[in-house]
Each structure stands twice: as structure tokens, then as C-alpha cells.
Amino acid sequence: MNSIINFSVKLTQKYLPDTYILAIILTVIVFLSGMIFAGQSPIEMSNHWGEGFSSLFNFGMQMALVLITGFTLAQTPIVKKLLGKITTIPKTPRQSIILVALVSFVSCYINWAFGLVVGALLAREMGRRVKGVHFPLIVAAAYSGEIIRGPSSSIPLVIATPGHFMEEQIGIISVSQTLFSSWNIAISALILLALVTLFAFIKVKKEDVIEFVDDIEHEDVKETQGVATSFAERLENSRVINWILAIIPILFIGDLIISGSFSLNLDTVIIIFLALALILQKNPMAFLDTVKDAVVAARGIIIQFPLYAGVAGMMASSGLVDIVATAFINAATPETFPLMTFLSAGLVNFFIPSGGGQWAVQGPVMMQAAYAMGADIPQSIMAFAWGDAWTNQIQPFWALPLLGVAGLSARDIMGYCLIWFALSGVIVSGVFIGLTIFA
């Protein structure tokens, strides 16, 4: 097993380009595929790209702010101290990797965005403090927890909401039939067991260990000394200014909780991280200096999310998604339909790496086919959600926030993620095959 893993690591390190280059390659592949397989002209494909390019501006800003506010919070003295205490729990590099995998998995189950940042920050701190830990491996363990489909999974939540866009087609399906079904809980438990086991037993030769190196240039915060300071300098170095601003998001979140309308989503995660960072940072200038470091870490998100949005626009508007979905539907039977849905969602996810966006484009086609052939609708829905999560493990789109915090490139972790991709695919496919056999 370790020989296979070492081969995978060397292969990706040698041949996997930077995530920016990969986004360009995917753009070219889809552009040409639209002309070859969907009969689109170059002008039509460029129009599809242009119309899609801006579709993730809002989401991209959200993800950048999740990274920036989470990173800023992690650099506060109290959180640094807390993370430091957590890193004293494991006594060996292997134990530290197991702990990071568990924390990341649980955090991603609660909320995927929260989990990505928490996992990255804990992996970073473990790499800083635990001697001998292979930093790319512990970051890969943190990212691999993202596969779990928990209460923040958009697809099963959408179809459980009255008035969703496919209600007339498939009705309202509660989360008790999807997220919290016995077979989906079984998948989640098997995934957790496999995740911990895999990363616990990966061995890295001592001479191959790469330890954490902080490549972000931190600037020392200049604090005023003595009492001979100007009014402006006093404001800039007053903790009270941060606290005044923090009052507003605290009141907002508090009102949501009291009214019973609070949910842990991207917006509330950002607001909570921002409020805590403002309260815990020393002063406004310390806050801004840390934000400056975080923006450097967010550069991949800022430029690459629009590129992927352009790819998604070409996939959806050219008809390529329908072509892929139809090919899998034609090969399916009522019994194998959930498995085919899992595989087709995984393939399309390479090019539309957004669960909600992919569901809006591919979901209606798959659900119409599932209904027509009498396939199990809840299983097909969760198969779609798992397929979307499955290929995230080797699609750098979702790794960008984590890689930004960790300061690594995709090739540093993808060798390990490729093995996890294969193992998790076998587990999820195996469960859906088992459901077919014992139905």
C-alpha cells in the first residue's frame, strides 16, 4: 500500500500543474468539447464562457472572506494559545494526523466551509509545533474530511424545502429519507473509519519528510509607546474601536438565535469569524496587518473561481452536461440508477465544482429519468450528493481555501488525495451496489 501511495505522490508531484494552470487546461478542454460533441461554434462557446464567468462572483467573495476572517481569527493571541494546547494532545506525528483528520471530518460535517478553515488552521499549527510531522500529509488529511455530506449539504436541504424548483417533479423529500437514512449514516461511518485508517498507516521516510515553513511575510504590528501620541494613533491602537464594530455582528447573530432563524451557512460563518477576530485582536492595526497576510493566502480563490465559473457556463449552456447525463442514464437500470448517478455526478463535478450549481443543471435530467424508470429517488439524490463530494478530493477548486491557509500547492497533497479518492469511491459505490443486491 505504501508503495502505491509513494508512486501516487511522485506521479502528481511530477505531472500535476499549479491549480491556475489546471483551470486553464480545463477551460480549453471544455471549449473544444463543446465544439466537437455539442456542435457549438467558437463564438457560441466564448459567449457561454462570458455569461458564466461572473456567476461565482458572490460565492467567490464569500469563500475569500471565509478564508480571510478565519485566518485572521486564528492569528489572535487567544486562538493561537488554544491551538497550541490542542497540539500538545498528540505525542507522535501519526497521532497528530489522526487528530487533524477527526477534527476536520467533524467540522466539515457541521459545516463544510467551517471545516475547511478549521482543518487547515489546525494542520498548520500541528505542522508548526509537532516535530517530524510530514506537513503535506497532515494537510491532505485535513482536506479529505471535506467528503462528508452533513447537515450543510445543499442538495438534500434544497429538495426538503417547500417550493424548491423541482417540487412538481419529485415532491418534497425530507432529510430523514436522505441525510439521516440508515444507509447514508452507514456510508458516513465507513468513510470516517476508512479516512482515519488510511492516514494513520501512511508511512513517510524520514528523509522525505517536509516540515512546515511559513512562507507568508508577516509584518510586525507597530504599537505606540508612551503617552505622547496623536489622536489618530490612539484610535489606531485602541482595542475599543474593534469592540465597537463587533457589537453589530454580535447583535445580528444573537437576534437570529433568539428568533430561531439561525443556521450555520457561509454568511453566518463569515460574520461569526469577523466578530470574534475583532474582539480578540489587539487593535485595528493588528487586525488589518493580519488581514493583509490573509489576502495573500486568498489569491488563488480570487482569480480561479471566475475561471471555473466560465467552465461551468460552457458546460451548462452548450448542452455538454445533458450529453454526459444521458450517456449514464442510457446505461442504467432502475436498480443501478443510483450508482450511475453517483458516477455521472462525479464526472460532471470536475467541470462544475459547485454542488448547488451542478444540481440546478444536471439534477432535473437525472431526476426525470429516475422517476420515469422507477428508481429510488432518495438514494439517487444522495448518490448525486456523494458523487459531487467524491471528485472534490482530486478537484483543486475546493482545496484552494485550505491550500491558501497552509501555503502549499495542489501537487503537494494530491498524491495522497488520489489514493483517498479511489478508496472512498469503492466504499460509496459498494454501498449502493449492496443496496441494489439486498433491495
Side-chain angles (χ1 to χ4, degrees):
M1 174 60 75
N2 275 286
S3 297
I4 295 173
I5 293 171
N6 290 334
F7 173 76
S8 175
V9 170
K10 291 179 181 178
L11 187 69
T12 55
Q13 286 179 339
K14 186 174 183 179
Y15 293 106
L16 184 68
D18 182 82
T19 53
Y20 172 67
I21 303 301
L22 184 59
I24 295 175
I25 292 173
L26 288 175
T27 300
V28 173
I29 290 173
V30 174
F31 190 92
L32 295 177
S33 296
M35 292 190 293
I36 296 170
F37 300 109
Q40 301 285 297
S41 70
I43 295 298
E44 287 174 323
M45 290 304 292
S46 66
N47 287 338
H48 300 328
W49 181 90
E51 291 166 1
F53 185 79
S54 60
S55 64
L56 289 185
F57 280 2
N58 182 59
F59 181 61
M61 185 63 173
Q62 287 176 317
M63 290 303 296
L65 285 172
V66 164
L67 189 158
I68 291 168
T69 54
F71 186 97
T72 304
L73 175 60
Q75 297 303 308
T76 60
I78 293 177
V79 174
K80 277 186 174 181
K81 187 175 181 180
L82 176 61
L83 288 173
K85 287 185 176 180
I86 294 175
T87 61
T88 64
I89 296 174
K91 305 304 179 185
T92 66
R94 176 176 293 181
Q95 290 176 3
S96 68
I97 291 170
I98 293 173
L99 180 60
V100 167
L102 284 171
V103 170
S104 176
F105 184 93
V106 173
S107 300
C108 285
Y109 184 81
I110 296 171
N111 179 271
W112 59 267
F114 175 73
L116 281 177
V117 174
V118 168
L121 294 173
L122 184 57
R124 180 185 173 96
E125 198 63 23
M126 286 288 188
R128 186 197 306 275
R129 294 175 179 266
V130 180
K131 186 174 177 59
V133 68
H134 185 50
F135 189 55
L137 178 58
I138 200 169
V139 172
Y143 179 59
S144 297
E146 188 274 341
I147 194 174
I148 186 62
R149 298 296 88 180
S152 66
S153 182
S154 60
I155 295 170
L157 291 181
V158 166
I159 54 93
T161 303
H164 70 85
F165 70 95
M166 284 199 293
E167 183 176 353
E168 292 186 5
Q169 186 177 353
I170 63 174
I172 298 171
I173 300 174
S174 71
V175 291
S176 64
Q177 296 175 270
T178 54
L179 281 174
F180 302 118
S181 63
S182 58
W183 47 267
N184 194 61
I185 292 173
I187 293 176
S188 302
L190 289 171
I191 286 291
L192 175 58
L193 178 62
L195 175 67
V196 173
T197 302
L198 173 65
F199 283 96
F201 286 96
I202 293 178
K203 295 180 180 178
V204 180
K205 295 179 181 179
K206 191 174 182 179
E207 60 269 23
D208 293 333
V209 169
I210 300 174
E211 297 189 344
F212 171 79
V213 176
D214 192 351
D215 61 353
I216 296 178
E217 296 182 2
H218 300 275
E219 292 186 2
D220 294 331
V221 179
K222 297 179 180 178
E223 296 190 40
T224 57
Q225 298 179 354
V227 294
T229 59
S230 68
F231 175 75
E233 288 174 332
R234 288 178 181 174
L235 287 179
E236 292 169 352
N237 291 277
S238 172
R239 185 186 291 265
V240 175
I241 298 299
N242 276 353
W243 291 351
I244 291 173
L245 178 57
I247 290 173
I248 298 174
I250 290 172
L251 290 174
F252 174 72
I253 295 296
D255 182 61
L256 289 179
I257 294 172
I258 293 171
S259 65
S261 57
F262 175 81
S263 64
L264 199 62
N265 54 42
L266 275 176
D267 293 336
T268 54
V269 166
I270 292 168
I271 292 172
I272 291 169
F273 282 176
L274 174 63
L276 291 174
L278 287 168
I279 292 169
L280 299 178
Q281 279 288 1
K282 296 177 182 178
N283 53 57
M285 300 315 295
F287 176 82
L288 289 177
D289 283 340
T290 310
V291 167
K292 183 178 180 180
D293 292 339
V295 170
V296 174
R299 62 189 181 275
I301 294 174
I302 294 170
I303 190 60
Q304 291 179 48
F305 270 44
L307 295 181
Y308 278 108
V311 171
M314 289 190 292
M315 284 288 295
S317 299
S318 68
L320 284 172
V321 172
D322 290 344
I323 292 172
V324 173
T326 301
F328 279 92
I329 290 169
N330 291 337
T333 65
E335 294 75 24
T336 63
F337 190 84
L339 176 62
M340 289 299 179
T341 300
F342 169 71
L343 296 174
S344 67
L347 178 59
V348 173
N349 181 61
F350 273 112
F351 308 99
I352 308 180
S354 169
Q358 185 181 348
W359 177 251
V361 177
Q362 187 184 358
V365 179
M366 302 304 295
M367 291 303 103
Q368 182 179 2
Y371 185 80
M373 67 173 61
D376 189 296
I377 299 296
Q379 287 182 17
S380 299
I381 290 168
M382 284 312 300
F384 193 103
W386 280 108
D388 171 70
W390 178 44
T391 46
N392 281 349
Q393 308 313 300
I394 53 172
Q395 162 55 275
F397 179 87
W398 292 110
L400 288 173
L402 178 136
L403 292 172
V405 173
L408 295 178
S409 67
R411 70 168 65 94
D412 293 320
I413 69 169
M414 281 299 158
Y416 304 109
C417 292
L418 182 60
I419 299 299
W420 172 236
F421 162 79
L423 178 58
S424 59
V426 169
I427 292 171
V428 179
S429 297
V431 171
F432 283 115
I433 291 172
L435 290 171
T436 298
I437 294 173
F438 297 107

